[in-house]
Amino acid sequence: MKTTQRRALVVCALSIAFACVMLSSCNSSNSSSGEQPSGQPLLINAAGSTFAYPIYSKWFNSYHQQHSNVEFNYASIGSGGGIAQLRAVTVDVGASDMPMNDQLLGTFKVKVLQFPIALGADVPAYNLPGINAELKFTPQTLAGIYLGKITKWNDPELTRVNPGVKLPNQKIIVVHRSDGSGTTFIWCDYLSKISSEWKKKVGANTSVNWPVGLGGKGNEGVVGLVQQTPYSIGYAELTYCLQNNMLYGTVQNSSGNFIKATLASVTAAAADNASELQRDIRASITNAPGANSYPISSFTYLLVPASIPNAAKRDAIKDFLTWMLSEGQTQLQTISYAPLPSAMLDVEKGMIPEIQ
């Protein structure tokens, strides 16, 4: 090959290489500015709460059907994991059943907005061979079981409030979460309110040092362990128990009434705390006042950075929040979650423009 031909080929190759570099740079710039390549879906990554996973699974699918260019990828890893991944900026949004206090919010590099999305409930689920009765639990009984002080199913505290049920002389197998969990926070937040001993020895957080029990990962893990373990008791989000046809008990509320977790009783817990919630949407509603309030009720939260540089993701997340606070709320009752109070919806709609 002649020298001039070789030089021409080299020049051509260098030109092609330069064009590829420029194209790559352009694509990278478009991505960071929020411009999606034509024909490619916009992927929004989220992680966190297993308590709320059934909600997000239904919502993300419904939203995608209406907005085919937007896809959500949700990792059901527990509230603790969702908070950690959002802090590490490995996801776009997080999900938690534990509202973050000011100290925890201060560990983030950017401001994080917390959007309550729905109401749910923790319930005491149990596996008692040969017994199909709906058991009653007092606050003292639940605290005693999880402190390891009430160890037998026929303990006087249980038999006293369950007359007519022949409870067995069997050891109670306690089941709890093994991962960082908002479901755990709700359970422990409740126990901390009704038991000074629990508050002092254990407290309320997504992860605690359990006095007794076996650990299961996720709501799914707790439900699976209870189903597989005779004479066990565990706490799980209501929807998981309904989906698995599990027995769960009624719990005595602050008015002294034994209340079953239902859409109505969970909604009542929020309604009876309305004034406090208007001051701070992070307010706890466990052990709420009111004759019909289910005492282990809670909001679950979507955690959204107030600053989202990617314009396409920012617009999609804001649109999803608007959809969630309107059409999304109408879908909740089909999977046994309660919709938000109207006053709270108004507050949250006013928060959406803060996302820039």
Side-chain angles (χ1 to χ4, degrees):
M1 183 180 293
K2 295 181 180 180
T3 302
T4 54
Q5 290 177 319
R6 285 199 298 269
R7 287 176 178 172
L9 288 173
V10 169
V11 170
C12 182
L14 289 172
S15 299
I16 293 172
F18 178 75
C20 289
V21 169
M22 293 301 294
L23 179 60
S24 175
S25 175
C26 180
N27 285 341
S28 176
S29 175
N30 286 344
S31 177
S32 63
S33 67
E35 297 179 20
Q36 287 300 116
S38 178
Q40 291 188 16
L42 177 67
L43 181 63
I44 297 173
N45 291 305
S49 168
T50 66
F51 179 98
Y53 172 67
I55 303 173
Y56 291 124
S57 180
K58 183 176 182 66
W59 276 352
F60 293 159
N61 181 60
S62 295
Y63 188 83
H64 176 66
Q65 289 179 354
Q66 298 177 28
H67 305 81
S68 59
N69 62 315
V70 180
E71 292 184 0
F72 288 87
N73 175 40
Y74 186 79
S76 178
I77 59 173
S79 298
I83 292 172
Q85 288 208 13
L86 185 63
R87 186 190 293 114
V89 200
T90 54
V91 294
D92 300 302
V93 295
S96 173
D97 316 310
M98 179 187 75
M100 292 191 290
N101 58 25
D102 293 342
Q103 182 179 359
L104 188 53
L105 286 170
T107 65
F108 286 77
K109 293 181 179 179
V110 299
K111 181 181 178 181
V112 174
L113 302 173
Q114 303 183 85
F115 289 86
I117 64 161
L119 284 155
D122 278 8
V123 296
Y126 50 89
N127 178 348
L128 285 175
I131 294 179
N132 294 315
E134 185 179 272
L135 297 184
K136 296 178 179 179
F137 294 95
T138 65
Q140 294 74 25
T141 300
L142 291 175
I145 289 172
Y146 273 81
L147 283 166
K149 292 190 165 186
I150 295 177
T151 61
K152 293 290 187 72
W153 278 106
N154 63 348
D155 184 280
E157 280 292 320
L158 278 161
T159 57
R160 178 177 61 83
V161 294
N162 290 285
V165 181
K166 191 175 181 180
L167 292 168
N169 182 27
Q170 293 285 346
K171 181 180 178 181
I172 299 173
I173 308 300
V174 177
V175 180
H176 56 71
R177 288 284 288 272
S178 61
D179 53 331
S181 157
T183 311
T184 289
F185 170 79
I186 297 164
W187 189 255
C188 293
D189 181 51
Y190 169 70
L191 293 181
S192 293
K193 289 182 179 180
I194 56 87
S195 168
S196 58
E197 183 178 3
W198 182 274
K199 183 176 182 179
K200 181 179 179 180
K201 290 184 177 180
V202 184
N205 210 325
T206 55
S207 295
V208 297
N209 292 320
W210 295 100
V212 292
L214 307 173
K217 187 175 182 181
N219 271 278
E220 304 92 334
V222 169
V223 165
L225 264 178
V226 172
Q227 287 179 314
Q228 297 164 19
T229 310
Y231 308 107
S232 63
I233 183 172
Y235 60 90
E237 204 285 321
L238 173 62
T239 298
Y240 288 85
C241 294
L242 294 174
Q243 289 176 344
N244 289 277
N245 298 313
M246 296 181 69
L247 285 173
Y248 61 93
T250 62
V251 181
Q252 190 178 37
N253 68 11
S254 60
S255 297
N257 301 322
F258 286 93
I259 303 295
K260 186 172 184 176
T262 63
L263 293 176
S265 64
V266 171
T267 300
D272 289 326
N273 271 21
S275 59
E276 187 175 357
L277 290 168
Q278 287 179 339
R279 291 192 297 271
D280 189 347
I281 58 175
R282 298 176 296 178
S284 166
I285 59 170
T286 56
N287 205 38
N292 300 312
S293 295
Y294 179 70
I296 321 180
S297 300
S298 178
F299 292 101
T300 183
Y301 299 80
L302 189 64
L303 313 175
V304 182
S307 175
I308 303 176
N310 186 307
K313 287 190 176 184
R314 180 175 64 245
D315 291 345
I317 290 170
K318 291 173 73 171
D319 187 70
F320 171 76
L321 286 168
T322 301
W323 177 90
M324 176 201 78
L325 295 172
S326 53
E327 183 177 337
Q329 294 293 301
T330 67
Q331 300 182 5
L332 290 170
Q333 296 187 26
T334 62
I335 48 174
S336 302
Y337 292 87
L340 298 169
S342 58
M344 184 167 283
L345 292 173
D346 293 337
V347 171
E348 293 185 60
K349 289 174 184 176
M351 292 165 56
I352 296 175
E354 294 184 44
I355 303 170
Q356 298 294 326

